Amino acid sequence: MRALQAKIACAVASALVLAPFACVDTTHEDAVQALGPEQGGVPPGPFHRPGQPCVTCHGGSGPASQQFSVGGTVYSVQGGGQPAVGAVVQIEDITGSVWNVPTNAAGNFYVLLSDYSPKYPTSMQVTSVDGSQSQAMASFALRDGSCADCHKNPQGPNSQGPIYLALASADGGTP
Amino acid sequence: MRVGRLGIALAAASAAAACAFAWLGACSGVQQQRVGIDAPPSDDAVFGPVADMLVHRCGSLDCHGQPGRNLRMWGCDGMRLDPNEAPSCRKQQGGGPTTVAEHYATYRSLVGLEPNVMTAVYDGCKTSGGAYPPSPSCHPELLTFVQKARGIEAHKGGQLIDVSGVDGGPDPQDVCIVTWLEGATDKQACSEALLIPSFPVPPTPDASVE
């Protein structure tokens, strides 16, 4: 009887010791840490961390409290750092459900999960504030709400580069 | 005493022989040998249309167009093989069309995923001659990638293929894959599969889409 009690006590103690470790998602923690501190003195809010993968922190696993379904940053010209302010990002999911969201002064846009939860795949298009310029995604997103996971800077074999409204011309200027 | 020395000598010789045998074995192990996979054809005329369909449907950068995936795919809709090319089919965006080398890289990734199962499936399918549905000896569903695409096996990307058919006919994605496993790719089906998925709402009419 004493041996059984000792075994149970041991099992409970082990569970208590190991439980905190079982709840830590180290992959997520690493992804959050890799984003580094806030940039340029901009505090957490709608204008912070342009170009970073929003849903890493806003995906429900923290540390951000607001949960996004989709989020990203749009720039005016391919390869440039000027944000596309007031552009409209149109998201359409495979059921035909459409959501439009404007970009803010940092070029950032985000959609709250409570407002719109698209069924993947999704197709996206971004149009300038005056409607004169537009870019549509040539492919589609299959599962990732963070635009910057695929649209990383710089462009490379695993990244299309940041989202932009206008292609850069051959001489580096706007088309 | 002589017998004892002889015994020791024999034991030492046996131990040395055993070590030598083990050493030889360690240096001529399985990794030195070629392992044959009896797989469907890799030549671009047969697999190219399948590769184009796969990278279009599964190979985006947020799915199988990632280096961390077991099943990796390369092409202009996703990850590029050439480090100087971007994930785009258009030159002006730093990309270009999917290359033959990317088709072959996708082929190696696909047939190397479950080589023994691939061999068994191809052995059973190659006599079907491109028929769809295939002959009873052909079992594509033994392959995990087929199970995942059909929604039989858990798949984060969800069910992509409807084996019961679409619009009154067979799912062209399934036809494309199965006929390749038979060694006779239905290229028309692979082309039709490039139109999937179809989004219900067209882009804003006044937008000048790139």
Side-chain angles (χ1 to χ4, degrees):
Chain A
M1 189 61 184
R2 276 190 179 175
L4 180 63
Q5 286 176 334
K7 281 180 183 173
I8 291 170
C10 184
V12 170
S14 300
L16 286 172
V17 168
L18 295 173
F21 297 101
C23 296
V24 174
D25 180 349
T26 53
T27 304
H28 174 69
E29 293 297 318
D30 289 348
V32 171
Q33 289 301 316
L35 298 178
E38 296 292 337
Q39 302 164 333
V42 181
F47 307 105
H48 82 145
R49 298 176 179 271
Q52 292 199 346
C54 314
V55 182
T56 300
C57 299
H58 288 275
S61 300
S65 55
Q66 279 194 317
Q67 199 170 341
F68 300 167
S69 56
V70 182
T73 308
V74 183
Y75 296 90
S76 291
V77 180
Q78 181 186 26
Q82 188 72 25
V85 182
V88 175
V89 179
Q90 178 182 288
I91 306 158
E92 180 189 357
D93 77 1
I94 194 60
T95 68
S97 174
V98 174
W99 190 267
N100 290 301
V101 55
T103 59
N104 62 24
N108 289 346
F109 68 94
Y110 56 93
V111 182
L112 295 176
L113 184 66
S114 55
D115 288 337
Y116 179 67
S117 178
K119 181 174 169 54
Y120 286 92
T122 57
S123 169
M124 292 191 226
Q125 175 178 300
V126 56
T127 306
S128 61
V129 65
D130 62 0
S132 64
Q133 292 172 316
S134 185
Q135 296 286 340
M137 259 180 80
S139 61
F140 38 83
L142 288 177
R143 60 196 246 189
D144 197 334
S146 275
C147 300
D149 275 337
C150 300
H151 289 274
K152 289 188 280 277
N153 194 17
Q155 187 182 60
N158 299 317
S159 170
Q160 218 322 290
I163 304 166
Y164 55 84
L165 270 172
L167 280 166
S169 64
D171 61 2
T174 52
Chain B
M1 191 63 184
R2 277 187 179 176
V3 174
R5 281 187 178 172
L6 184 61
I8 291 168
L10 280 172
S14 300
C19 286
F21 185 74
W23 182 78
L24 282 172
C27 293
S28 57
V30 174
Q31 71 272 23
Q32 296 276 358
Q33 299 169 4
R34 290 181 70 89
V35 178
I37 303 173
D38 192 12
S42 65
D43 62 270
D44 209 53
V46 181
F47 185 70
V50 185
D52 286 337
M53 188 275 287
L54 288 174
V55 76
H56 165 75
R57 196 69 178 96
C58 322
S60 64
L61 292 171
D62 59 346
C63 282
H64 291 280
Q66 290 182 5
R69 296 278 158 179
N70 290 326
L71 174 55
R72 291 181 288 277
M73 296 174 185
W74 287 264
C76 69
D77 286 313
M79 180 166 62
R80 304 313 303 258
L81 201 59
D82 182 343
N84 297 313
E85 268 195 321
S88 172
C89 301
R90 312 179 81 199
K91 290 278 185 198
Q92 62 187 138
Q93 291 180 327
T98 301
T99 64
V100 173
E102 287 173 328
H103 287 163
Y104 189 58
T106 301
Y107 174 85
R108 287 175 62 91
S109 174
L110 186 59
V111 303
L113 198 63
E114 296 176 301
N116 53 339
V117 184
M118 180 60 81
T119 298
V121 168
Y122 183 51
D123 284 348
C125 290
K126 59 188 173 187
T127 55
S128 290
Y132 189 91
S135 66
S137 67
C138 180
H139 295 285
E141 73 279 4
L142 295 176
L143 288 159
T144 301
F145 93 93
V146 173
Q147 291 173 17
K148 284 178 176 279
R150 289 179 176 180
I152 300 166
E153 168 81 26
H155 183 214
K156 194 152 187 179
Q159 180 183 356
L160 304 176
I161 287 174
D162 187 350
V163 283
S164 65
V166 290
D167 299 330
D171 188 325
Q173 302 167 110
D174 206 50
V175 177
C176 178
I177 291 169
V178 170
T179 54
W180 168 66
L181 289 169
E182 296 171 26
T185 306
D186 184 334
K187 294 171 189 171
Q188 178 64 32
C190 296
S191 292
E192 289 171 16
L194 294 176
L195 302 175
I196 301 173
S198 168
F199 288 90
V201 181
T204 318
D206 60 347
S208 57
V209 178
E210 58 161 45

